[in-house]
Amino acid sequence: MRILLVEDHPPLAASVAQALRGAGWSVDLLTDGVAADLALASEDYALAILDVGLPRLDGFQVLARLRDRGKTLPVLMLTARGEVADRVHGLNLGADDYLAKPFELAELEARVKALLRRSVQGGEQQQRCGALVYDLGTRRFSLGDEVLALTSREQAVLQALIARPGRVMSKEQLAAQVFGLDEEASPDAIEIYVHRLRKKLEGRGVRIVTFRGLGYLLEASDG
């Protein structure tokens, strides 16, 4: 799952980004509100973490613009302000959670997990397609009693497909989930990851179907 982190304090931003990536999420890191607003308008994220005290546009303004566009992705606000009025203001604008600085990285990770779990399939802990199960808590795929050994790129592709049951996803859409803003998104590389995934799923009750010119669909199979 791809997360947007917007924090203008370099040491904190680096620590949070490192912790989230270490936990298995793809993270785009930005440092000002205007860049965040543009990214949220054009990119597909599972969650946004916004600092309130951002330059050019503050976190409240970024959040308000996001909600005005009808986007419902969960938003966690970070702030050095502990005042109740600020928390209420952020929640009234559509924030899903609020975390005051300083905070422990373990608490941030737990809140991110909870927000993502609530936003996917009505809060269900697991996503399924045929015999394939993705556990949102452990962020692992399994087939029966076996945990699938996947690279981070393979996992990102499979996460994107299982999160959108019955939906065909183009190579470009998958690339947007796999590669961050600071990486060169390569739709052609998606073919390689899909090929590898097919070999790991072959004959095991789930498959990736190609719709020529459109993209890929994950579906249950007979074997």
Side-chain angles (χ1 to χ4, degrees):
M1 293 183 177
R2 192 175 174 200
I3 295 174
L4 177 65
L5 169 63
V6 193
E7 168 60 61
D8 68 330
H9 187 260
L12 178 60
S15 296
V16 171
Q18 182 178 12
L20 294 174
R21 288 168 180 152
W25 291 298
S26 174
V27 180
D28 288 341
L29 174 59
L30 298 174
T31 58
D32 74 79
V34 171
D37 184 52
L38 291 172
L40 288 167
S42 60
E43 302 291 329
D44 185 16
Y45 292 102
L47 178 140
I49 302 173
L50 300 177
D51 181 34
V52 170
L54 296 171
R56 298 209 286 172
L57 286 177
D58 67 30
F60 292 139
Q61 292 171 301
V62 174
L63 173 61
R65 292 183 181 215
L66 175 72
R67 297 304 186 220
D68 285 345
R69 290 192 293 270
K71 296 290 186 70
T72 60
L73 77 155
V75 174
L76 171 62
M77 304 294 292
L78 303 179
T79 181
R81 309 172 190 176
E83 291 83 355
V84 172
D86 284 328
R87 295 200 299 272
V88 170
H89 181 50
L91 293 170
N92 284 338
L93 286 173
D96 297 273
D97 201 356
Y98 218 98
L99 191 56
K101 303 174 185 176
F103 53 81
E104 296 293 332
L105 291 174
E107 181 180 4
L108 174 68
E109 183 179 337
R111 288 175 183 251
V112 167
K113 285 182 182 178
L115 288 173
L116 290 172
R117 187 165 56 246
R118 291 205 301 265
S119 69
V120 176
Q121 293 189 347
E124 292 293 328
Q125 179 71 17
Q126 295 181 332
Q127 297 170 303
R128 297 175 180 271
C129 182
L132 181 69
V133 178
Y134 177 61
D135 188 290
L136 292 163
T138 63
R139 294 186 300 284
R140 291 180 177 177
F141 280 95
S142 60
L143 279 167
D145 295 329
E146 178 186 347
V147 175
L148 281 182
L150 302 173
T151 68
S152 60
R153 303 290 200 199
E154 292 167 356
Q155 174 130 339
V157 170
L158 203 52
Q159 282 177 346
L161 290 171
I162 202 170
R164 295 158 179 83
R167 174 178 165 183
V168 176
M169 296 196 69
S170 69
K171 288 192 292 185
E172 290 75 17
Q173 288 173 320
L174 289 171
Q177 294 298 308
V178 173
F179 300 98
L181 287 174
D182 57 348
E183 299 175 298
E184 183 179 350
S186 174
D188 290 338
I190 298 301
E191 294 183 10
I192 298 173
Y193 303 134
V194 168
H195 175 71
R196 292 174 182 170
L197 287 168
R198 280 179 169 147
K199 294 179 71 173
K200 294 180 180 182
L201 299 173
E202 187 176 3
R204 306 182 71 178
V206 64
R207 63 185 179 185
I208 300 174
V209 181
T210 298
F211 288 82
R212 193 170 299 279
L214 296 175
Y216 303 100
L217 170 72
L218 186 69
E219 69 174 17
S221 64
D222 295 331

